[in-house]
């Protein structure tokens, strides 16, 4: 059997305050038609990265709404995950092609994982490219299959996309974050746009008292009396951590007391993370005010919450970005953001929230401006939060997904 991820329990009623009573009631009513439906979500890692973040919150709520939801993981060794990272990068446009042996590795593990998927389901949601070929090797049976793509596949490497595309053809639906991300010749019968969302009740996003947040930051070594800018993301070249360091260095010339925190998690399915981590350590070796934190050194959800809350500016200097949950996470805490004009980022900042940038220079200028204009910065953060409340909370994501399940099942 595929390994299941054990998640806690949660009541949808807990979202009355953050999302609104009407939203919660509407969701309950909507879920009635799907009561008892067996829904499986499959991905490649139980922690690290946006997909795991969403599933950890979504599965307990689906269950509370009467749906028999499960979350399972495919398995693979480092060779497999190196291949799937190459596929991930290729789908986002990297020029590196897949060697024949890499294609074989992908297909061998896909076959093996397909054999491990035993139980029957009504709806199977496959996240991202790692488990994509499961349907082909398992056979559809009575289930409806959805491919949920979280990355920017607007201009994929033709060879990598050409390899994967045939494995998509039997899917009943494909879900993207933006219309622009639908790759060329995507022949899935039904294509939907559903942007991701954050969980306002998770330890990462709940309201915490400022003094508690300050104590957490002190414990991890941040000087809470000096200005702080932060980027929270996997150590990944598309997130441009070295560009963040460069931007920070420019701003520091004007504000010598400035500190930078780079918070990066290591995901099970991302072996590239370690290479980037060592590059970052090297680039920051001479500056004690650059803090590099990882989930492996005790910087987990609650610390991320505190860092996002107490930073004067959150940076997300992505070059390519599927959605970037970290944008909504920062805005939900009222913190202004300076972010790359990439993928799903602009949609989260279209009513304020901060600035979109396209270079190190621009990022540095905007960060400096926000640091020097705290009142305007607060106002931008506040407007950003309001958009997140209306459009990027988990309740909206679940409503969109339930609509799709119901439509595919014809209920
Ligand atoms: N994250 C975290 N700790 C880290 C780095 C990232 O908890 O050290 C979380 C972050 O808060 C967000 C998710 O991982 O919830 C990253 O999602 P996003 O959509 O921004 O990017 P992805 O990793 O999916 O490309």
């Amino acid at each position: 059997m595929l390994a299941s991820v054990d998640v806690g329990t949660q009541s949808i009623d807990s979202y009355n305050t953050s999302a609104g009573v009407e939203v919660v009631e509407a969701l309950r009513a909507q879920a009635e038609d799907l009561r008892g439906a067996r829904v499986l979500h499959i991905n490649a890692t139980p922690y690290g990265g946006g997909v795991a973040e969403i599933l950890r919150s979504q599965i307990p709520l689906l269950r509370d709404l009467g749906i028999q939801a499960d979350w399972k993981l495919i398995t693979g060794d480092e060779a497999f995950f190196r291949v799937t990272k190459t596929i991930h990068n290729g789908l986002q446009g990297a020029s590196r092609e897949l060697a024949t042996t890499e294609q074989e590795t992908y297909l061998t593990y896909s076959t093996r994982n397909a054999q491990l998927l035993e139980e029957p389901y009504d709806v199977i949601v496959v996240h991202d490219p790692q488990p994509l070929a499961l349907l082909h090797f398992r056979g559809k049976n009575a289930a409806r299959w959805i491919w949920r793509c979280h990355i920017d596949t607007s201009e994929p490497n033709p060879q990598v996309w050409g390899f994967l595309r045939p494995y998509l053809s039997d899917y009943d639906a494909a879900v993207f974050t933006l219309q622009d991300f639908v790759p060329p010749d995507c022949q899935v019968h039904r294509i939907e746009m559903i942007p991701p969302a954050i969980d306002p009740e998770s330890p990462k996003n709940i309201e915490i008292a400022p003094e508690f947040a300050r104590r957490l930051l002190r414990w991890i070594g941040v000087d809470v009396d000096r200005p702080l800018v932060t980027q929270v993301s996997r150590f990944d070249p598309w997130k441009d951590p070295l560009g963040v360091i460069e931007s920070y260095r420019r701003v520091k010339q004007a504000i010598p007391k400035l500190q930078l925190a780079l918070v990066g998690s290591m995901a099970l399915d991302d072996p590239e993370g370690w290479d980037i981590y060592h590059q970052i350590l090297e680039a920051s070796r001479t500056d004690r005010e650059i803090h590099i934190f990882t989930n492996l050194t005790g910087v987990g959800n609650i610390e991320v919450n505190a860092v996002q809350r107490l930073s004067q500016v959150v940076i997300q200097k992505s070059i390519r970005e599927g959605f970037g949950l970290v944008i909504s996470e920062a805005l939900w805490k009222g913190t202004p953001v300076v972010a790359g004009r990439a993928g799903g980022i602009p949609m989260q900042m279209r009513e304020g929230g901060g600035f979109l940038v396209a270079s190190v220079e621009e990022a540095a200028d905007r960060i400096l401006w926000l640091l020097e204009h705290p009142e305007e910065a607060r106002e931008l953060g506040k407007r950003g939060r309001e958009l997140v409340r209306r459009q990027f909370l988990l309740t909206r994501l679940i409503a969109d997904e339930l609509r799709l399940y119901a439509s595919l099942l014809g209920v």
Side-chain angles (χ1 to χ4, degrees):
M1 283 214 298
L2 292 180
S4 286
V5 185
D6 208 0
V7 291
T9 54
Q10 176 64 293
S11 163
I12 191 71
D13 293 335
S14 313
Y15 293 74
N16 279 335
T17 310
S18 48
V21 178
E22 325 74 57
V23 170
V24 169
E25 270 173 17
L27 205 49
R28 272 203 189 286
Q30 191 188 352
E32 269 313 304
D33 291 338
L34 286 160
R35 188 158 278 285
R38 297 160 304 177
V39 175
L40 172 66
H41 286 260
I42 304 181
N43 83 322
T45 177
Y47 60 85
V51 179
E53 188 77 18
I54 293 169
L55 292 179
R56 172 62 187 82
S57 291
Q58 188 178 4
I59 300 297
L61 284 183
L62 289 175
R63 288 180 182 164
D64 188 57
L65 288 166
I67 290 160
Q68 290 184 41
D70 286 329
W71 172 12
K72 291 184 187 272
L73 304 172
I74 55 163
T75 53
D77 61 4
E78 182 170 340
F80 173 70
F81 288 125
R82 285 220 175 255
V83 172
T84 57
K85 191 67 201 286
T86 305
I87 293 177
H88 172 106
N89 290 340
L91 289 181
Q92 295 218 118
S95 59
R96 159 104 153 68
E97 299 194 340
L98 277 179
T100 312
T101 50
E102 292 176 320
Q103 299 180 9
E104 283 163 9
T105 302
Y106 181 74
L107 297 178
T108 304
Y109 277 94
S110 299
T111 313
R112 214 173 284 169
N113 280 304
Q115 285 160 355
L116 295 174
L117 174 52
E118 290 167 350
E119 315 90 308
Y121 285 95
D122 300 306
V123 176
I124 299 182
V125 188
V126 173
H127 292 263
D128 281 340
Q130 300 92 325
L132 187 149
L134 241 59
L135 164 55
H136 176 81
F137 293 107
R138 165 117 189 315
K140 207 165 185 181
N141 299 326
R144 305 291 186 277
W145 287 69
I146 300 169
W147 185 49
R148 166 75 237 209
C149 177
H150 294 268
I151 56 183
D152 175 352
T153 42
S154 51
E155 290 169 17
N157 173 317
Q159 191 255 4
V160 175
W161 173 227
F163 167 69
L164 275 191
R165 212 172 43 138
Y167 298 102
L168 251 183
S169 58
D170 278 346
Y171 276 84
D172 296 286
V175 177
F176 296 89
T177 295
L178 282 174
Q179 178 71 46
D180 284 355
F181 288 177
V182 181
D185 307 321
C186 181
Q187 279 155 0
V188 182
H189 192 63
R190 176 168 180 168
I191 293 179
E192 296 278 329
M193 298 328 130
I194 304 181
I198 62 161
D199 180 359
E201 296 301 320
S202 73
K204 181 169 291 164
N205 296 316
I206 44 168
E207 186 83 43
I208 55 173
E211 182 47 27
F212 178 58
R214 274 194 291 275
R215 286 167 71 182
L216 288 171
L217 288 203
R218 264 186 227 117
W219 187 80
I220 62 176
V222 171
D223 183 341
V224 293
D225 298 318
R226 298 167 68 161
L228 172 70
V229 293
T230 297
Q231 173 157 304
V232 177
S233 45
R234 283 181 299 105
F235 293 132
D236 179 321
W238 300 110
K239 315 275 185 186
D240 195 17
L242 299 177
V244 175
I245 293 177
E246 250 186 87
S247 308
Y248 150 84
R249 291 222 161 103
R250 281 171 186 256
V251 181
K252 201 173 170 73
Q253 286 169 7
I255 304 185
K257 286 186 156 183
L258 188 63
Q259 305 167 93
L260 170 67
L262 287 170
V263 189
S265 57
M266 299 298 178
L268 205 60
D269 62 343
D270 187 5
E272 204 182 9
W274 287 107
D275 307 340
I276 310 290
Y277 176 66
H278 289 117
Q279 285 175 27
I280 294 170
L281 285 184
E282 186 55 33
S284 61
R285 215 162 25 100
T286 52
D287 186 341
R288 290 172 54 88
E289 270 130 20
I290 301 180
H291 304 279
I292 316 269
F293 299 124
T294 76
N295 51 338
L296 304 175
T297 53
V299 177
N301 288 331
I302 194 81
E303 290 82 7
V304 169
N305 185 337
V307 174
Q308 289 173 328
R309 206 168 279 284
L310 293 190
S311 292
Q312 275 67 35
V313 179
V314 158
I315 310 171
Q316 188 57 40
K317 225 201 126 310
S318 304
I319 295 158
R320 281 264 201 279
E321 187 60 77
F323 180 71
L325 288 175
V326 285
I327 304 289
S328 281
E329 288 168 2
L331 296 177
W332 181 244
K333 295 161 187 109
T335 305
V337 171
V338 169
R341 192 177 285 104
I345 292 177
M347 75 194 292
Q348 301 176 68
M349 294 172 62
R350 61 173 186 263
E351 291 180 11
F355 297 108
L356 296 170
V357 298
S359 66
V360 165
E361 298 74 29
E362 228 184 315
D365 285 352
R366 296 307 203 177
I367 296 165
L368 181 59
W369 190 89
L370 287 167
L371 289 169
E372 287 177 337
H373 297 83
E375 250 171 64
E376 287 90 338
R378 236 187 325 275
E379 183 54 32
L380 282 171
K382 213 162 104 189
R383 274 193 269 146
R385 176 180 159 101
E386 180 47 28
L387 181 65
V388 173
R389 191 185 63 72
R390 279 189 280 118
Q391 295 197 359
F392 300 116
L393 296 186
L394 191 58
T395 37
R396 192 273 308 146
L397 172 64
I398 293 179
D400 285 351
E401 289 201 3
L402 293 187
R403 213 166 290 126
L404 178 59
Y405 305 164
S407 158
L408 290 176
L409 291 170
V411 296

